[in-house]
């Protein structure tokens, strides 16, 4: 198991980015959450098997839907969290 914290910049708010991220995490069976930030970025905590988390991060970097335009993704390793689900959190 691995846990990553991602901060995603670009056109990622108001374009269905959180919902598409949620759907991708559900498809891959990953845990964590996605949340809009006040500065216009999107914050993601994702956790699961190494290969699936890497697949998830690559897809986020490419843009999870046709409306999003990702310009930068900062990825930091994190501590494992005690959840088995992935959710959309309210903004900041």
């Amino acid at each position: 198991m691995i846990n990553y914290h991602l901060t995603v910049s670009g056109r990622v708010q108001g374009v269905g980015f959180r919902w598409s991220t949620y759907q991708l995490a559900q498809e891959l069976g990953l845990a964590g959450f996605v949340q809009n930030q006040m500065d216009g970025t999107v914050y993601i905590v994702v956790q699961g098997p190494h290969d699936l988390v890497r697949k998830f991060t690559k897809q986020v970097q490419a843009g999870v839907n046709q409306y999003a335009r990702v310009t930068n993704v900062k990825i930091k390793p994190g501590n494992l969290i005690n959840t088995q689900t992935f959710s959309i959190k309210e903004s900041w």
Side-chain angles (χ1 to χ4, degrees):
M1 293 281 278
I2 192 168
N3 177 293
Y4 283 156
H5 294 233
L6 290 73
T7 302
V8 186
S9 304
R11 190 172 72 202
V12 291
Q13 288 192 16
V15 293
F17 188 87
R18 287 183 303 159
W19 177 250
S20 296
T21 300
Y22 169 81
Q23 288 181 310
L24 175 61
Q26 291 290 99
E27 289 171 16
L28 297 174
L30 300 173
F33 66 87
V34 59
Q35 182 180 40
N36 284 344
Q37 300 295 292
M38 288 180 68
D39 63 2
T41 63
V42 172
Y43 181 66
I44 303 168
V45 174
V46 62
Q47 163 175 307
H50 292 252
D51 57 334
L52 295 178
V53 171
R54 286 192 184 102
K55 183 176 183 176
F56 175 89
T57 57
K58 285 183 183 180
Q59 187 121 9
V60 167
Q61 288 170 320
V64 290
N65 68 36
Q66 64 188 18
Y67 307 107
R69 295 289 176 267
V70 174
T71 57
N72 189 38
V73 179
K74 294 179 186 171
I75 303 172
K76 295 180 183 177
N79 295 322
L80 294 178
I81 55 176
N82 188 19
T83 185
Q84 302 298 316
T85 62
F86 195 92
S87 62
I88 298 173
K89 286 197 173 185
E90 289 300 316
S91 301
W92 57 88

